[in-house]
Amino acid sequence: NDLQNIKRLADDNVKIVTLTWNGDNQIGCGAQTDNDTGLTSFGKTVICELEKNKIVVDVSHLSDGSFYDTAENATAPFIASHSNSRTICNHRRNLTDEQFTVIRDKGGIVGLNFYRDFLSCGNAGIKDIIKHTEHFLSLGGENTIAVGSDFDGCDIPDDICGIADVPKIYNEFLRLNYSETLVKKIFWQNAANFFETFDNI
């Protein structure tokens, strides 16, 4: 409950803050909450303070209520650093189409998550990363999709060994006739553009 912590984070060059993990905290409710009351009044103040200090708000791990409270209170673009499509894989950690559209319309980015349980209800693979990408593209996400991976905290599909296989995923997009211009946007340009412009918003 100390907003001065945000200034300390900014002084240490922290650029992104995820508001909750899966559980609830002083800021709001996480994705695994049993009682989705959204953000607390303190949490809404936190968003204002993060924006004031040029720190990006990350809604990955938020409950639906906390997501919409963030959308209502945020004035700057925000991101979902590692979240997939709930339409493709119905997991509460994934984004609904409406949530993706909110992030898109605010100028944020959504990082594709490589965690097997967020990719598919069955055997997950690179094919499922592409399915989520295709769905987000169908929602007008060409300038919104990025790579979130979650390599440091998840079980990844059997056909991905780790960060060394990012070129393999990149090349699979090209093999499926995605233009190199679009693939570059997804793999780095959208994220780079977002962070290059955020401080000037």
Side-chain angles (χ1 to χ4, degrees):
N1 281 319
D2 184 359
L3 292 175
Q4 284 303 308
N5 287 324
I6 294 173
K7 180 64 166 61
R8 294 188 188 102
L9 293 172
D11 289 344
D12 285 338
N13 291 316
V14 170
K15 295 300 181 187
I16 306 171
V17 166
T18 308
L19 299 180
T20 71
W21 194 57
N22 289 328
D24 303 341
N25 63 19
Q26 293 173 334
I27 292 173
C29 294
Q32 302 291 349
T33 189
D34 293 323
N35 181 31
D36 190 0
T37 55
L39 295 182
T40 64
S41 56
F42 175 70
K44 294 171 184 176
T45 306
V46 165
I47 288 176
C48 179
E49 200 67 20
L50 288 170
E51 291 182 342
K52 191 185 304 180
N53 283 275
K54 299 295 183 182
I55 296 176
V56 177
V57 172
D58 178 12
V59 299
S60 283
H61 286 288
L62 289 188
S63 67
D64 288 348
S66 292
F67 176 95
Y68 286 109
D69 283 347
T70 299
E72 186 176 324
N73 287 273
T75 59
F78 56 85
I79 70 173
S81 61
H82 55 306
S83 295
N84 292 334
S85 166
R86 203 178 298 181
T87 298
I88 300 300
C89 179
N90 188 21
H91 193 292
R92 66 171 88 182
R93 262 286 281 109
N94 287 337
L95 298 170
T96 66
D97 290 355
E98 183 179 54
Q99 289 169 340
F100 180 85
T101 301
V102 169
I103 296 172
R104 181 202 69 193
D105 291 349
K106 283 184 170 285
I109 53 174
V110 173
L112 297 162
N113 193 317
F114 298 169
Y115 180 39
R116 61 173 72 238
D117 288 354
F118 300 162
L119 285 169
S120 173
C121 296
N123 293 323
I126 293 174
K127 68 183 188 327
D128 297 294
I129 296 172
I130 292 168
K131 284 181 186 176
H132 286 271
T133 303
E134 288 177 347
H135 185 71
F136 284 152
L137 286 171
S138 77
L139 299 175
E142 178 177 343
N143 299 315
T144 306
I145 308 168
V147 172
S149 77
D150 207 9
F151 279 136
D152 64 339
C154 74
D155 294 324
I156 55 179
D158 292 338
D159 57 356
I160 303 172
C161 293
I163 195 168
D165 274 345
V166 169
K168 175 181 173 182
I169 303 168
Y170 184 99
N171 288 329
E172 183 63 11
F173 277 89
L174 295 179
R175 190 185 71 80
L176 294 170
N177 294 320
Y178 283 77
S179 72
E180 188 150 20
T181 298
L182 176 57
V183 178
K184 284 180 177 178
K185 280 187 172 187
I186 294 168
F187 276 76
W188 66 273
Q189 284 180 340
N190 287 340
N193 290 342
F194 175 85
F195 288 103
E196 285 170 2
T197 59
F198 183 81
D199 284 347
N200 299 318
I201 293 172

Coordinates of all heavy atoms in Angstrom, one line a residue, residues 11-76:
D11 N 12.9 4.4 -10.9 CA 14.3 4.8 -10.7 C 15.2 3.7 -11.0 O 16.4 3.9 -11.4 CB 14.5 5.3 -9.3 CG 13.9 6.7 -9.0 OD1 13.5 7.4 -9.9 OD2 13.7 7.0 -7.8
D12 N 14.8 2.5 -10.9 CA 15.6 1.3 -11.2 C 15.3 0.8 -12.7 O 15.7 -0.3 -13.1 CB 15.2 0.1 -10.3 CG 15.9 0.3 -8.9 OD1 16.8 1.1 -8.8 OD2 15.3 -0.3 -7.9
N13 N 14.7 1.7 -13.4 CA 14.4 1.4 -14.9 C 13.5 0.2 -15.2 O 13.6 -0.4 -16.2 CB 15.8 1.3 -15.6 CG 16.5 2.6 -15.7 OD1 15.9 3.6 -16.0 ND2 17.8 2.5 -15.4
V14 N 12.6 -0.1 -14.2 CA 11.6 -1.1 -14.5 C 10.6 -0.4 -15.6 O 10.2 0.7 -15.4 CB 10.8 -1.4 -13.2 CG1 9.6 -2.3 -13.6 CG2 11.7 -2.2 -12.3
K15 N 10.3 -1.2 -16.6 CA 9.5 -0.7 -17.7 C 8.1 -1.3 -17.8 O 7.2 -0.8 -18.5 CB 10.2 -0.9 -19.0 CG 11.5 -0.1 -19.2 CD 11.2 1.4 -19.1 CE 12.5 2.2 -19.2 NZ 12.3 3.6 -18.9
I16 N 7.9 -2.5 -17.1 CA 6.6 -3.1 -17.2 C 6.3 -3.6 -15.8 O 7.2 -4.2 -15.1 CB 6.6 -4.3 -18.1 CG1 7.0 -4.0 -19.5 CG2 5.2 -5.0 -18.2 CD1 7.3 -5.2 -20.4
V17 N 5.0 -3.5 -15.4 CA 4.6 -4.1 -14.1 C 3.3 -4.9 -14.4 O 2.3 -4.4 -14.9 CB 4.3 -3.1 -13.0 CG1 3.5 -3.7 -11.9 CG2 5.6 -2.5 -12.5
T18 N 3.4 -6.2 -14.1 CA 2.2 -7.1 -14.1 C 1.4 -6.9 -12.8 O 2.0 -7.0 -11.7 CB 2.6 -8.6 -14.3 OG1 3.5 -8.7 -15.4 CG2 1.4 -9.4 -14.5
L19 N 0.2 -6.5 -12.9 CA -0.5 -6.1 -11.7 C -0.8 -7.2 -10.6 O -0.8 -6.9 -9.4 CB -1.9 -5.4 -12.1 CG -1.7 -4.2 -13.0 CD1 -3.1 -3.6 -13.3 CD2 -0.9 -3.1 -12.3
T20 N -1.1 -8.4 -11.1 CA -1.2 -9.5 -10.2 C -0.6 -10.7 -10.8 O -0.2 -10.7 -12.0 CB -2.7 -9.9 -10.0 OG1 -3.2 -10.5 -11.2 CG2 -3.6 -8.7 -9.6
W21 N -0.4 -11.8 -10.0 CA -0.2 -13.1 -10.6 C -1.5 -13.8 -10.6 O -2.6 -13.1 -10.8 CB 0.9 -13.9 -9.8 CG 1.4 -15.1 -10.6 CD1 2.0 -15.1 -11.8 CD2 1.3 -16.4 -10.1 NE1 2.3 -16.4 -12.2 CE2 1.9 -17.2 -11.2 CE3 0.9 -17.1 -9.0 CZ2 2.0 -18.6 -11.1 CZ3 1.0 -18.5 -8.9 CH2 1.5 -19.2 -10.0
N22 N -1.7 -15.0 -10.5 CA -2.9 -15.7 -10.6 C -3.9 -15.5 -9.4 O -5.1 -15.5 -9.6 CB -2.8 -17.2 -10.8 CG -2.2 -17.6 -12.1 OD1 -2.4 -16.9 -13.1 ND2 -1.4 -18.6 -12.2
G23 N -3.3 -15.2 -8.3 CA -4.1 -14.9 -7.1 C -4.5 -13.4 -6.9 O -4.1 -12.6 -7.8
D24 N -5.1 -13.1 -5.8 CA -5.5 -11.7 -5.5 C -4.4 -11.0 -4.7 O -3.7 -11.7 -4.0 CB -6.8 -11.7 -4.7 CG -8.0 -12.4 -5.5 OD1 -7.8 -12.6 -6.7 OD2 -8.9 -12.7 -4.8
N25 N -4.3 -9.7 -4.8 CA -3.4 -9.0 -4.0 C -4.0 -7.6 -3.7 O -5.2 -7.4 -3.9 CB -2.0 -8.9 -4.7 CG -2.0 -8.1 -6.0 OD1 -3.0 -7.4 -6.3 ND2 -1.0 -8.3 -6.8
Q26 N -3.2 -6.7 -3.2 CA -3.7 -5.4 -2.8 C -4.2 -4.6 -4.0 O -4.9 -3.6 -3.8 CB -2.6 -4.6 -2.0 CG -2.3 -5.2 -0.7 CD -1.1 -4.5 0.0 OE1 -0.3 -4.0 -0.7 NE2 -1.1 -4.6 1.3
I27 N -3.7 -4.9 -5.2 CA -4.1 -4.2 -6.4 C -5.4 -4.7 -7.0 O -6.2 -3.9 -7.4 CB -3.0 -4.3 -7.4 CG1 -1.7 -3.5 -6.9 CG2 -3.4 -3.8 -8.8 CD1 -0.5 -3.7 -7.8
G28 N -5.6 -6.0 -7.0 CA -6.8 -6.5 -7.5 C -6.9 -8.0 -7.6 O -6.1 -8.7 -6.9
C29 N -7.8 -8.6 -8.4 CA -8.0 -10.0 -8.5 C -7.2 -10.6 -9.7 O -7.2 -10.0 -10.8 CB -9.5 -10.3 -8.7 SG -10.5 -9.8 -7.3
G30 N -6.6 -11.8 -9.5 CA -5.9 -12.5 -10.5 C -6.8 -13.5 -11.2 O -8.0 -13.7 -10.8
A31 N -6.3 -14.1 -12.2 CA -7.1 -14.9 -13.1 C -7.7 -16.1 -12.4 O -8.7 -16.6 -12.9 CB -6.2 -15.4 -14.3
Q32 N -7.1 -16.6 -11.3 CA -7.6 -17.8 -10.6 C -8.4 -17.4 -9.4 O -8.7 -18.3 -8.6 CB -6.4 -18.7 -10.2 CG -5.5 -19.1 -11.3 CD -6.2 -20.1 -12.3 OE1 -7.3 -20.6 -12.0 NE2 -5.6 -20.4 -13.4
T33 N -8.9 -16.2 -9.3 CA -9.7 -15.8 -8.2 C -11.0 -16.5 -8.1 O -11.6 -17.0 -9.1 CB -10.0 -14.2 -8.3 OG1 -10.6 -13.8 -7.0 CG2 -11.0 -13.9 -9.4
D34 N -11.5 -16.7 -6.8 CA -12.8 -17.3 -6.6 C -13.9 -16.2 -6.5 O -15.1 -16.6 -6.4 CB -12.7 -18.2 -5.3 CG -11.8 -19.4 -5.5 OD1 -11.8 -19.9 -6.6 OD2 -11.2 -19.7 -4.5
N35 N -13.5 -15.0 -6.4 CA -14.5 -13.9 -6.2 C -14.0 -12.7 -6.9 O -13.2 -11.9 -6.4 CB -14.6 -13.6 -4.7 CG -15.6 -12.5 -4.4 OD1 -16.6 -12.3 -5.1 ND2 -15.4 -11.8 -3.3
D36 N -14.4 -12.5 -8.2 CA -13.9 -11.5 -9.0 C -14.5 -10.1 -8.8 O -15.5 -9.8 -9.3 CB -14.1 -11.9 -10.5 CG -13.3 -11.0 -11.5 OD1 -12.6 -10.1 -11.0 OD2 -13.4 -11.2 -12.7
T37 N -13.8 -9.4 -7.9 CA -14.3 -8.0 -7.6 C -13.5 -7.0 -8.3 O -13.7 -5.8 -8.1 CB -14.2 -7.8 -6.1 OG1 -12.9 -8.0 -5.6 CG2 -15.2 -8.7 -5.3
G38 N -12.6 -7.4 -9.2 CA -11.9 -6.4 -10.1 C -10.7 -5.8 -9.3 O -10.2 -6.4 -8.3
L39 N -10.4 -4.6 -9.7 CA -9.3 -3.8 -9.0 C -9.8 -3.2 -7.7 O -11.0 -2.9 -7.6 CB -8.8 -2.7 -9.9 CG -8.1 -3.1 -11.2 CD1 -7.7 -1.8 -11.9 CD2 -6.9 -4.0 -11.0
T40 N -9.0 -3.1 -6.8 CA -9.3 -2.4 -5.6 C -9.2 -0.9 -5.9 O -8.6 -0.4 -6.9 CB -8.3 -2.7 -4.4 OG1 -7.0 -2.3 -4.8 CG2 -8.3 -4.2 -4.2
S41 N -9.6 0.0 -5.0 CA -9.5 1.4 -5.2 C -8.0 1.8 -5.2 O -7.6 2.6 -6.0 CB -10.2 2.2 -4.1 OG -9.8 1.8 -2.8
F42 N -7.2 1.1 -4.4 CA -5.7 1.3 -4.4 C -5.2 0.9 -5.8 O -4.3 1.6 -6.3 CB -5.1 0.5 -3.3 CG -3.6 0.5 -3.3 CD1 -2.9 1.7 -3.0 CD2 -2.8 -0.6 -3.7 CE1 -1.5 1.7 -3.0 CE2 -1.5 -0.6 -3.7 CZ -0.8 0.6 -3.4
G43 N -5.7 -0.2 -6.3 CA -5.2 -0.7 -7.6 C -5.5 0.3 -8.7 O -4.6 0.5 -9.6
K44 N -6.6 1.0 -8.7 CA -6.9 2.0 -9.7 C -5.9 3.2 -9.5 O -5.5 3.8 -10.5 CB -8.3 2.5 -9.5 CG -9.3 1.4 -9.9 CD -10.8 1.8 -9.5 CE -11.7 0.6 -9.8 NZ -13.1 0.9 -9.3
T45 N -5.5 3.5 -8.3 CA -4.5 4.6 -8.1 C -3.2 4.1 -8.6 O -2.4 4.9 -9.1 CB -4.4 4.9 -6.6 OG1 -5.7 5.2 -6.1 CG2 -3.5 6.1 -6.3
V46 N -2.9 2.8 -8.4 CA -1.6 2.3 -8.9 C -1.5 2.5 -10.4 O -0.4 2.9 -10.9 CB -1.5 0.8 -8.5 CG1 -0.4 0.1 -9.3 CG2 -1.3 0.6 -7.1
I47 N -2.5 2.3 -11.2 CA -2.5 2.4 -12.6 C -2.1 3.8 -13.0 O -1.2 4.1 -13.8 CB -3.8 2.0 -13.3 CG1 -4.0 0.5 -13.2 CG2 -3.9 2.5 -14.7 CD1 -5.4 0.1 -13.7
C48 N -2.7 4.8 -12.3 CA -2.4 6.2 -12.6 C -1.0 6.5 -12.3 O -0.3 7.2 -13.0 CB -3.4 7.1 -11.7 SG -3.1 8.8 -11.9
E49 N -0.5 6.0 -11.2 CA 0.9 6.2 -10.7 C 1.9 5.5 -11.7 O 3.0 6.1 -12.0 CB 1.1 5.7 -9.3 CG 2.3 6.3 -8.6 CD 2.1 7.8 -8.3 OE1 1.0 8.3 -8.3 OE2 3.1 8.5 -8.1
L50 N 1.6 4.3 -12.1 CA 2.5 3.7 -13.1 C 2.6 4.5 -14.4 O 3.7 4.7 -14.9 CB 1.9 2.3 -13.4 CG 2.1 1.2 -12.3 CD1 1.3 -0.1 -12.7 CD2 3.5 0.9 -12.0
E51 N 1.5 5.0 -14.9 CA 1.5 5.8 -16.1 C 2.3 7.1 -15.9 O 3.0 7.5 -16.8 CB 0.0 6.1 -16.5 CG -0.7 4.8 -17.0 CD -2.1 5.1 -17.5 OE1 -2.6 6.2 -17.1 OE2 -2.7 4.3 -18.2
K52 N 2.1 7.7 -14.7 CA 2.8 8.9 -14.4 C 4.3 8.7 -14.5 O 5.1 9.6 -14.9 CB 2.4 9.4 -13.1 CG 2.8 10.8 -12.8 CD 2.5 11.2 -11.3 CE 1.0 11.1 -11.1 NZ 0.6 11.5 -9.7
N53 N 4.7 7.5 -14.1 CA 6.2 7.1 -14.0 C 6.6 6.4 -15.3 O 7.7 5.8 -15.3 CB 6.4 6.3 -12.8 CG 6.5 7.1 -11.5 OD1 7.5 7.7 -11.2 ND2 5.4 7.2 -10.8
K54 N 5.8 6.4 -16.3 CA 6.2 5.8 -17.6 C 6.5 4.3 -17.5 O 7.4 3.8 -18.2 CB 7.3 6.6 -18.3 CG 7.1 8.0 -18.6 CD 6.0 8.2 -19.6 CE 5.8 9.7 -20.0 NZ 4.7 9.8 -20.9
I55 N 5.7 3.6 -16.7 CA 5.8 2.2 -16.6 C 4.6 1.6 -17.2 O 3.4 2.0 -17.0 CB 5.9 1.7 -15.1 CG1 7.2 2.3 -14.5 CG2 5.9 0.2 -15.0 CD1 7.3 2.0 -13.0
V56 N 4.8 0.6 -18.1 CA 3.7 0.0 -18.8 C 2.9 -1.0 -17.9 O 3.5 -1.8 -17.2 CB 4.2 -0.8 -20.0 CG1 3.1 -1.6 -20.8 CG2 5.0 0.1 -21.0
V57 N 1.6 -0.9 -18.0 CA 0.7 -1.8 -17.2 C 0.5 -3.1 -18.0 O 0.2 -3.0 -19.2 CB -0.7 -1.1 -17.0 CG1 -1.7 -2.1 -16.4 CG2 -0.5 0.1 -16.1
D58 N 0.7 -4.2 -17.4 CA 0.6 -5.5 -18.0 C -0.6 -6.2 -17.4 O -0.7 -6.4 -16.2 CB 1.9 -6.3 -17.8 CG 1.8 -7.7 -18.4 OD1 0.9 -8.0 -19.2 OD2 2.7 -8.5 -18.1
V59 N -1.6 -6.6 -18.3 CA -2.8 -7.2 -17.8 C -2.8 -8.8 -17.8 O -3.8 -9.4 -17.5 CB -4.1 -6.7 -18.5 CG1 -4.2 -5.2 -18.3 CG2 -4.0 -7.0 -20.0
S60 N -1.7 -9.4 -18.3 CA -1.6 -10.8 -18.2 C -1.8 -11.2 -16.8 O -1.2 -10.6 -15.9 CB -0.3 -11.3 -18.8 OG -0.3 -11.3 -20.2
H61 N -2.5 -12.3 -16.5 CA -2.8 -12.8 -15.2 C -3.9 -12.1 -14.5 O -4.3 -12.6 -13.4 CB -1.5 -12.8 -14.3 CG -0.5 -13.8 -14.6 ND1 -0.7 -15.1 -14.3 CD2 0.7 -13.7 -15.1 CE1 0.4 -15.8 -14.7 NE2 1.3 -14.9 -15.2
L62 N -4.5 -11.1 -15.0 CA -5.7 -10.4 -14.4 C -6.9 -11.2 -14.6 O -7.1 -11.9 -15.6 CB -5.9 -9.0 -14.9 CG -4.9 -7.9 -14.6 CD1 -5.4 -6.6 -15.1 CD2 -4.6 -7.9 -13.1
S63 N -7.8 -11.1 -13.6 CA -9.2 -11.6 -13.8 C -9.9 -10.7 -14.8 O -9.5 -9.6 -15.2 CB -10.0 -11.5 -12.5 OG -10.2 -10.2 -12.1
D64 N -11.0 -11.2 -15.3 CA -11.8 -10.4 -16.3 C -12.2 -9.1 -15.7 O -12.2 -8.0 -16.3 CB -13.0 -11.2 -16.7 CG -12.7 -12.3 -17.7 OD1 -11.5 -12.4 -18.1 OD2 -13.6 -13.2 -17.9
G65 N -12.7 -9.1 -14.4 CA -13.1 -7.9 -13.8 C -12.0 -6.9 -13.6 O -12.1 -5.7 -13.9
S66 N -10.8 -7.4 -13.3 CA -9.6 -6.5 -13.1 C -9.2 -6.0 -14.5 O -8.8 -4.8 -14.6 CB -8.5 -7.2 -12.5 OG -8.7 -7.5 -11.1
F67 N -9.3 -6.8 -15.5 CA -9.0 -6.3 -16.9 C -9.9 -5.1 -17.3 O -9.4 -4.1 -17.7 CB -9.2 -7.5 -17.9 CG -9.0 -7.0 -19.3 CD1 -7.8 -7.2 -19.9 CD2 -10.0 -6.4 -20.1 CE1 -7.6 -6.7 -21.2 CE2 -9.8 -5.9 -21.4 CZ -8.6 -6.1 -22.0
Y68 N -11.2 -5.3 -17.1 CA -12.1 -4.2 -17.5 C -11.9 -2.9 -16.6 O -12.1 -1.8 -17.1 CB -13.5 -4.7 -17.6 CG -13.7 -5.6 -18.8 CD1 -13.9 -6.9 -18.7 CD2 -13.7 -5.0 -20.1 CE1 -14.0 -7.7 -19.8 CE2 -13.8 -5.8 -21.2 CZ -14.0 -7.2 -21.0 OH -14.2 -8.0 -22.2
D69 N -11.6 -3.1 -15.4 CA -11.3 -2.0 -14.5 C -10.1 -1.3 -15.0 O -10.0 0.0 -15.0 CB -11.2 -2.4 -13.1 CG -12.5 -2.7 -12.4 OD1 -13.5 -2.3 -12.9 OD2 -12.5 -3.3 -11.3
T70 N -9.1 -2.0 -15.4 CA -7.8 -1.5 -16.0 C -8.2 -0.7 -17.2 O -7.7 0.5 -17.4 CB -6.8 -2.6 -16.3 OG1 -6.5 -3.2 -15.1 CG2 -5.5 -2.0 -16.9
A71 N -8.9 -1.3 -18.1 CA -9.3 -0.6 -19.4 C -10.0 0.7 -19.1 O -9.8 1.7 -19.8 CB -10.1 -1.5 -20.2
E72 N -10.8 0.7 -18.1 CA -11.6 1.9 -17.8 C -10.8 3.0 -17.1 O -11.0 4.2 -17.4 CB -12.7 1.5 -16.8 CG -13.7 2.7 -16.5 CD -14.9 2.2 -15.6 OE1 -15.3 1.1 -15.7 OE2 -15.3 3.0 -14.7
N73 N -9.7 2.6 -16.4 CA -8.9 3.6 -15.7 C -7.6 4.0 -16.4 O -7.1 5.0 -16.1 CB -8.6 3.1 -14.3 CG -9.8 3.1 -13.4 OD1 -10.1 4.1 -12.7 ND2 -10.6 2.0 -13.3
A74 N -7.2 3.2 -17.3 CA -5.9 3.5 -18.0 C -6.1 4.6 -19.1 O -7.1 4.6 -19.8 CB -5.4 2.2 -18.7
T75 N -5.2 5.5 -19.1 CA -5.2 6.5 -20.2 C -4.2 6.2 -21.2 O -4.3 6.7 -22.4 CB -5.0 7.9 -19.6 OG1 -3.7 7.9 -18.9 CG2 -6.1 8.3 -18.6
A76 N -3.1 5.5 -20.9 CA -2.1 5.1 -21.8 C -2.3 3.7 -22.4 O -3.1 2.9 -21.7 CB -0.7 5.1 -21.1

